[in-house]
Every structure is written in structure tokens, then in C-alpha cells.
Amino acid sequence: MNTRKPPRRSNRVAAGQAPETQGVIQGDLARAVLEPGAYAKWDTLLDTFDHLRSTMPVVKVLPDTEGVFDPFWLVTGYDDVMRVSKDNQTFLNNPRTVVFSLTEGIEFAKALTGGSPHMVASLVTFDAPIHMKYRKLTQEWFMPKNLRSVEDEIRTLAQETVQRLVDAAGHNSGAVDFVPLVSAPYPLHVVMQIMGVPEEDEPRMLMLTQQMFGGQDEDLNQSGMANMTPEQITQLVAGAVADFEAYFAKLTAEKRAKPTGDVASIIANARIDGEPLNDRDMMGYYIILAAAGHDTTSASTAGAMLALAQDPEQFARVKADRSLLPGIVEEAIRWTSPVQHFMRTAAEDTRLGGQKIAKGDWLMINYVAANHDPAQFENPRKFDAARTPNRHLAFGAGAHQCLGLHLARLEMRILFEALLDRIETIELAGEPRRAKSTFVGGLKTLPLHITAS
Ligand code: HEM
């Protein structure tokens, strides 16, 4: 997946011209749903989605960028996002899964891979029938019953992480940034642990996944991608893939020689239709797990902590009654919706939200918008840990629904158990800031005053 800030062509919509006509948005309104910076201004973004959902729940977005990004249908209503997610025959993941799949980048990927539009082929880029064959390989491993086998390891990581937070709070008179200390490193440790990557290799893995999946926020992406051309980005990604392949070739050999119960052993020894996975597909599997498992859980973890910091009574209640924790975790995942969108391509002519969708049209299913649809969630901007039912779409739905959803819930619950054991009070120590990102997004800073028990 390649990323780049969309170049502006501010003269596209002449002054005074309405940015929305006949189910089409462009100019400022298109930028308000498409630019990474728009996703850093949460309330404004939610206002925009509310406006669109109530007037044009499925609307054509004409990006301001000729030939770089293609037009697409933006889907903002809960029911429509659910329908697209579940109808995997009509709405395909191939060929482009995220909105910043640059047209030129895809051509480049095809040239480098010998025809595939993806530098990395993985579960999110497969459709039926191959998708399910790949998914089934690890689906069982990610079920709650099996995850019990890694609970103790995750608890140890959680306790070590909370200890670091408590130590830092002691050194800084209680003022700490929760994101770099807790919510960013902890899910990365967990996902690396389940893949058998030693801790000293984590920074390298982080850099590689950033290069491949391109954090769009300049503070978070250390790979220097922000100002590169699509060709340069694709070259960088190709280098990262090669580096990743070399790293995991060694791991695969080890796991084949001596399989352990971890997920990397399952992938290394997997067979599809009787044949072992080829190197490229195996890498795709490792890469999607490494990339999908950390920023997402990190964002919902930071969101849960923000909600508790903003509501000391809720914090006191859950400290006294741990049975409230699963509700807090689930609501944090809805409230933050860390995966903000995925794209689908129509396999045939169809209708959605009163619009005619043609075969080949591109659609953005926006999880942030769907999870704030007042027709489904009463007072959707409120963090309500008692919300029942809470059938949010933050993990998607249908054949591609998040493979790691039980793991994400488990690791959040275990972390908050450790936090509640050790933390007496939390209070905001400054304004939290959100990352600029259209794809995976959330808080990049969360300054807190903390007192330990
Ligand atoms: C797919 C969200 C954590 C692995 C997805 C999708 C979403 C999502 C929205 C796409 C669903 C669709 O297309 O219908 C989240 C959120 C998380 C989280 C919000 C944390 C709060 C994780 C973790 C892992 C993981 C911890 C594993 C280590 C995957 C994989 C897929 C996926 C492998 C692709 C599944 C497929 O295409 O069949 N996730 N995810 N995710 N997620 Fe997660």
C-alpha cells in the first residue's frame, strides 16, 4: 500500500461554486473526507459525516487530484456499510483496498511483481475462493479458546508496560504521555510475541511496517515518505518487502525445523491444496499480521484511557467492579474506530443508498461514519460503556471481518486490568492530539497526570 499526501488543485472548484451537486462532492467537501489532516480534527470530521449521511448517504467523491486518485462512492450509513461488508460477491476487495492506492503506484507494483497490483498480497487483498483458504489457516489460532494459551505471556507484557508507566510518572511528578509509553509499544510487543519475533528486532519490524503501510502523519512515520513521488514510495516499499522477506525466511526455516505452537509456525508449515505456501504469500501473511495488529489496538487503547481520564466517576466504578471492563473495551473500539475505512470494487452493476453503482466503481466503506450513525447508536459521540447492544462495525463484517478481534479485546482487557491494579487516579494533563491519517488513525499524544496506588 502506498501513501502520499494528496497534492492540491485548489482552483478546481471556482469561488462561489457549490461543492455538492447531484450526489457528487468535490473541492473543500471532498478534501474534508479525503485528506489525512481532516481525520485529525475529529469533531469537524464527524460533523461532515453527519451532514453527508443525512443528505447523501452514498455520494460520489471527486478528488482534487487528476489521474492520481480516482473518484469513489463514499458510504456513510451503518446499514449501507454493513451491506457492502457482508456482500462479498458484489463488493470485492481487489484490486484496491485503501483510498490512497495511487494509480501510478499500482502500475509500478505490477511492473515489479510481474502483474499483481499489490506489492504485498495478503488476506485483505484476496477475494473468494482463495481468501477463505488462506484465512482458514490461522482462523482457529485466533479463537478465544486457543488464545488462552498466550494469556499469561500477554499479562506479563501488560504488567511490564504498566510498570514503565508508573516509573515514568514517578520521575515526572505524575505527568506522562500515555501513547509512547503504553498504547503504542504494548500491542506491538504482543503481536511480535505471537509471531516469535524477539524484542530487539521490534524497531526494525516497526520501521518496515511503516514503510509498507505508510503512516501519513509526519510525527509518526519515520520513513521520510511524506514528500516522495509515487515511484520513490513504491521503490521504498519494494526494499522493505525484500528486507522483510529476508528476515522471515530465517524465521520460517526455524519454524519448519522445529514448529512451536505460535502463529508463525502455523504459517511456516501451512499447506493449501496440498502445497506449501510460496515465499511471497507467506510473507504477505506475516506482514498483514504484523501491520494489522498494532496501530489498531494502540488507537483503541489510547481512546479507552482518554474516556476514563475524562470521566473520573467511570474510572472509580470500573476500579471497584471489573465486570464493567468488557463494556469499556467494546465502546472504546466503537468510539475510536481505528480502521477508518476500507475500499471495495463493484463486481457488477448494483444499487446502494439510492445510487446506481456501475461494475468497476470504487467504494469507500467508512467505519468512523457508520459507527457514529444516530439511527444505530443513540447519542453516538458519547462514550457509553453500558451501550447495549453495541453492534459496531469497527472490526468490519462479512468474510473479511477482523481476524484478530478476539486478540484485540483480550489484550486491551488484560492491559486495563493491570492498569486498574496499579493506578489510583488519572487526569488529562493537556490537549490530546490525533494523527493525520485516512486509514488507521487515533491519538498520537495523550498527556496524563497519574498517581500510582
Ligand atoms: C481486518 C479492525 C486488531 C488482524 C480488519 C478489518 C478491520 C479491522 C476493520 C477489515 C474488516 C473488513 O474488511 O470487513 C481492527 C481493529 C483492531 C484490530 C479496530 C483493534 C482494535 C487486529 C489484531 C490483529 C488483526 C490485533 C492480529 C494480530 C487482522 C487481519 C485482517 C483484519 C489479519 C484481515 C482479515 C481478512 O481480510 O480476512 N481489522 N483490527 N487485527 N485484521 Fe484487524
Side-chain angles (χ1 to χ4, degrees), residues 16-324:
Q17 188 181 330
E20 49 185 273
T21 41
Q22 298 168 344
V24 171
I25 59 171
Q26 53 189 334
D28 287 345
L29 198 47
R31 285 194 287 275
V33 296
L34 187 58
E35 285 206 337
Y39 286 71
K41 297 179 187 133
W42 195 239
D43 275 321
T44 312
L45 181 74
L46 296 181
D47 290 345
T48 306
F49 288 143
D50 282 349
H51 164 66
L52 290 173
R53 201 190 303 102
S54 61
T55 51
M56 298 171 282
V58 177
V59 65
K60 190 73 161 266
V61 180
L62 295 183
D64 233 2
T65 44
E66 230 163 57
V68 180
F69 294 100
D70 287 337
F72 59 90
W73 294 102
L74 170 65
V75 188
T76 48
Y78 178 90
D79 289 342
D80 290 334
V81 171
M82 182 69 93
R83 187 194 138 197
V84 174
S85 301
K86 286 193 159 174
D87 184 352
N88 303 104
Q89 302 278 327
T90 312
F91 301 103
L92 303 178
N93 277 38
N94 248 309
R96 289 179 290 171
T97 52
V98 287
V99 75
F100 43 73
S101 309
L102 301 168
T103 322
E104 296 161 63
I106 287 173
E107 291 313 312
F108 223 72
K110 281 184 184 166
L112 279 169
T113 61
S116 166
H118 311 289
M119 289 300 301
V120 181
S122 75
L123 282 179
V124 291
T125 68
F126 293 141
D127 288 304
I130 191 78
H131 169 254
M132 213 18 102
K133 290 186 181 180
Y134 277 82
R135 189 172 161 115
K136 274 192 180 144
L137 299 176
T138 57
Q139 197 158 257
E140 195 59 34
W141 194 92
F142 281 100
M143 294 310 273
K145 198 165 152 241
N146 183 63
L147 290 175
R148 272 188 226 125
S149 66
V150 288
E151 240 187 272
D152 287 347
E153 290 170 55
I154 296 179
R155 185 161 293 108
T156 305
L157 289 175
Q159 286 165 346
E160 287 168 2
T161 308
V162 172
Q163 184 60 49
R164 275 198 293 274
L165 176 74
V166 168
D167 291 346
H171 292 135
N172 299 303
S173 334
V176 286
D177 187 348
F178 187 75
V179 175
L181 274 167
V182 178
S183 61
Y186 167 69
L188 181 70
H189 289 323
V190 172
V191 82
M192 291 297 138
Q193 180 124 348
I194 65 163
M195 291 177 62
V197 173
E199 198 173 337
E200 62 269 21
D201 292 338
E202 284 180 16
R204 185 165 165 214
M205 288 294 119
L206 185 63
M207 182 70 166
L208 288 175
T209 55
Q210 279 182 344
Q211 285 173 342
M212 274 180 284
F213 291 87
Q216 292 163 309
D217 190 289
E218 60 277 7
D219 292 339
L220 302 179
N221 189 339
Q222 307 300 315
S223 62
M225 244 187 218
N227 298 313
M228 291 183 184
T229 64
E231 288 81 1
Q232 286 170 326
I233 293 173
T234 312
Q235 291 286 17
L236 185 81
V237 173
V241 172
D243 206 357
F244 221 96
E245 281 181 3
Y247 184 87
F248 279 104
K250 195 168 145 269
L251 191 78
T252 301
E254 282 167 22
K255 302 286 176 187
R256 282 186 175 160
K258 204 172 160 217
T260 49
D262 59 16
V263 75
S265 297
I266 295 189
I267 298 168
N269 294 289
R271 285 180 173 266
I272 288 191
D273 299 334
E275 296 293 322
L277 267 62
N278 66 38
D279 285 355
R280 187 155 187 265
D281 289 345
M282 210 155 43
M283 290 321 132
Y285 224 124
Y286 291 133
I287 288 169
I288 190 67
L289 292 181
H294 61 89
D295 285 353
T296 47
T297 318
S298 164
S300 48
T301 301
M305 196 65 172
L306 171 63
L308 292 176
Q310 285 174 331
D311 186 349
E313 279 175 25
Q314 177 161 248
F315 181 65
R317 273 198 307 277
V318 65
K319 232 175 124 54
D321 178 2
R322 300 293 170 92
S323 71
L324 301 175

